[in-house]
Amino acid sequence: MISFRSAVGALYVAVALVLTLLIAVPQVRLYRDEQPRADIVGQLRFLRSELGSGLGEEMQAMFPEGYFFSYALYGLAWTDIARGDTTYRDEALREARWALARLESPAGKAIFDDSLRPAHGVFYVGWSSRLRGAVIELAGPDAPETVRFVADCAALAAAFDTEGPFLEAYPGQAWPVDSVVAVAALSLHDRIAGPPRFGTVIAEWSKSARTRLDPATGLLPHRAKPVTEGARGSSQSVIQRFLPEIDTEWAQEQYRAFRGSFVDIPLGLPGVREYPRGRNGTGDVDSGPLILGVSASATVVAIGAARVHGDRALAGPLTGLGEGLGVPVGAGDTKRYAFGLLPVGDAFLAWSFAAPSTAAPSYPPVVRWWWRMPWHVLALTIVAVLLLPAIRVVIRKPRRAGIRGSDPGRRSRGSYSVATRGRRAGAGRPRTRSAAAAHGNHDGPASALSPGDNR
């Protein structure tokens, strides 16, 4: 019967091996700089299940556009997947239309004011139009969504004509990033939905927006109303994702400025700062919590921005970082990150991973070639601490087994040596009076014998 001590030792060895595996796998995943399409689809299938179980409502309780983003990013990711692989076209159309229907529902419009221009504000109309246009791009210009798409784009164009480059998302509040998404929808319209009609509006918007850049960074500001706030990473990551759809040349200029001001490598790991170098601030609902100035949401969205700009020097390490430290878990045909505890994070990741990668002039490296090495050393140290006691347990077992398998009558070393040496010494000596006398044995009858009595 196995002893309690042996059982505990075996359990420790098993746990140590499992933990070693869990530590080793992320070290390998750090080298994955491209996400397989099947993995992204697995993420989307996980999200579909979560959305069907009330994810949108849960996320709405966490931040203002939680419901909207949960569905909008899910739909946009599916359309990007199908653009890269037409075998997913039917599934992508079905899922993107399902997501679009949720955006058009009362729950999707609940927080947006229909008195704004355009109705429900630029955030709602811009993002929903961009998704609707992506559906039409897959389905063709005769898709039933075309009529609504054209009407909403016309409403956006009219608002830009009269209200300026940065439209309101909520009464008295405007974020330039929302207008960038809306203008991208206008540009998409002119590519897929009949003869171009918004070229002048797009050109005027670009001209006006360039006069309102953040003087500290040369980038579009984070907020335009009620006060102007300088560029921030959480909005810049989205801006850099959509700006190439509007003006390719200007987008390259803006992206290089973004890269220089916001991409950082704290602790040797690549990330995107929420505030530009030389400026500090705290996290908020837009950025989430900051770690050494880095915003996780900005970093995730920057993967997609880097991909559309052809910046493999940034997209690759960020993808590897997400795979290595994001705790990806696969189950069946689904995949989730961080054990699926924050599914809206999976929505942003899937949308970023699905972004089409373009060819572009090479960008300088963001990280050193050895950027993964400190994390390997840390992992090896932890593994060594875990496995050393386990190795001792494994080595000790054969040694103990050898002792148990010896002569059961054998005494301990101390008793054996004393008794045995005594017997051997006595057996080799003559039993005579002289011998006894030599050893000082003068007691007993033998001491009374005369020398002649020894026969």
Side-chain angles (χ1 to χ4, degrees):
M1 181 176 179
I2 188 170
S3 68
F4 175 77
R5 186 173 181 178
S6 298
V8 171
L11 179 62
Y12 181 87
V13 171
V15 171
L17 290 175
V18 171
L19 291 176
T20 298
L21 181 63
L22 292 176
I23 292 170
V25 169
Q27 303 304 309
V28 177
R29 287 182 174 273
L30 282 171
Y31 292 87
R32 178 183 273 188
D33 59 1
E34 183 74 22
Q35 191 76 328
R37 189 170 286 113
D39 281 20
I40 308 171
V41 171
Q43 282 184 265
L44 294 175
R45 287 176 178 155
F46 163 69
L47 284 169
R48 181 61 167 84
S49 173
E50 294 296 305
L51 288 168
S53 301
L55 170 63
E57 291 76 8
E58 292 177 16
M59 293 302 103
Q60 185 60 40
M62 296 181 64
F63 64 100
E65 295 90 13
Y67 180 96
F68 191 96
F69 267 133
S70 297
Y71 287 100
L73 297 178
Y74 175 78
L76 286 169
W78 264 118
T79 59
D80 283 339
I81 286 288
R83 286 169 60 196
D85 186 344
T86 56
T87 60
Y88 289 103
R89 177 182 177 275
D90 291 343
E91 185 175 7
L93 277 174
R94 182 181 69 250
E95 295 304 313
R97 281 170 165 157
W98 176 79
L100 188 59
R102 270 61 190 174
L103 300 184
E104 294 171 344
S105 70
K109 297 178 179 178
I111 65 169
F112 302 106
D113 193 329
D114 62 1
S115 68
L116 296 173
R117 292 196 64 197
H120 301 104
V122 68
F123 177 93
Y124 178 84
V125 180
W127 281 93
S128 61
S129 294
R130 181 60 181 75
L131 174 56
R132 191 174 286 109
V135 169
I136 297 168
E137 187 176 23
L138 287 179
D142 295 331
E145 293 83 7
T146 302
V147 174
R148 174 72 181 275
F149 179 59
V150 171
D152 282 352
C153 285
L156 284 168
F160 282 124
D161 274 339
T162 59
E163 305 294 329
F166 304 141
L167 304 180
E168 293 183 354
Y170 301 99
Q173 301 183 74
W175 290 264
V177 59
D178 300 328
S179 291
V180 171
V181 177
V183 177
L186 298 183
S187 181
L188 181 58
H189 170 281
D190 282 3
R191 294 200 308 272
I192 66 171
R197 55 183 290 192
F198 299 121
T200 301
V201 174
I202 295 170
E204 286 297 321
W205 179 87
S206 296
K207 181 179 178 180
S208 180
R210 291 180 198 226
T211 67
R212 305 191 185 196
L213 300 178
D214 170 25
T217 60
L219 296 164
L220 288 170
H222 178 69
R223 185 192 293 259
K225 292 182 182 180
V227 295
T228 299
E229 182 181 2
R232 287 176 51 179
S234 53
S235 58
Q236 280 298 317
S237 294
V238 180
I239 288 171
Q240 304 308 323
R241 172 73 183 264
F242 286 106
L243 205 55
E245 300 179 20
I246 301 170
D247 186 327
T248 304
E249 184 177 346
W250 185 37
Q252 290 178 355
E253 296 173 6
Q254 288 283 287
Y255 182 73
R256 291 185 184 277
F258 160 74
R259 210 175 184 270
S261 294
F262 287 92
V263 176
D264 203 357
I265 50 171
L267 300 179
L269 298 176
V272 175
R273 298 177 56 86
E274 179 60 18
Y275 299 93
R277 288 189 178 87
R279 179 182 162 205
N280 295 317
T282 58
D284 59 16
V285 69
D286 292 323
S287 68
L290 305 184
I291 302 175
L292 299 178
V294 169
S295 164
S297 63
T299 299
V300 166
V301 176
I303 296 173
R307 289 178 62 82
V308 300
H309 282 274
D311 185 3
R312 294 184 61 85
L314 177 59
L318 289 182
T319 300
L321 186 65
E323 280 293 294
L325 304 184
V327 196
V329 177
D333 63 347
T334 68
K335 182 179 180 180
R336 68 212 67 184
Y337 286 81
F339 301 106
L341 297 177
L342 190 64
V344 72
D346 282 274
F348 278 100
L349 273 170
W351 178 55
S352 295
F353 288 148
S357 182
T358 61
S362 61
Y363 288 88
V366 173
V367 293
R368 304 277 187 176
W369 64 267
W370 46 261
W371 70 273
R372 303 174 183 89
M373 295 301 124
W375 297 94
H376 295 338
V377 171
L378 177 62
L380 285 173
T381 302
I382 296 173
V383 168
V385 171
L386 283 172
L387 290 185
L388 185 58
I391 292 171
R392 292 178 63 186
V393 168
V394 171
I395 292 176
R396 193 179 298 143
K397 283 184 178 180
R399 187 178 297 168
R400 288 178 176 170
I403 294 173
R404 293 192 194 99
S406 62
D407 182 2
R410 183 176 179 178
R411 300 181 185 181
S412 66
R413 181 174 177 178
S415 61
Y416 171 82
S417 59
V418 172
T420 304
R421 281 185 295 181
R423 287 197 300 270
R424 287 179 179 172
R429 295 190 184 104
R431 306 302 293 172
T432 65
R433 284 187 303 167
S434 59
H439 286 273
N441 184 7
H442 302 292
D443 299 326
S447 62
L449 294 175
S450 65
D453 293 330
N454 185 16
R455 302 218 169 25

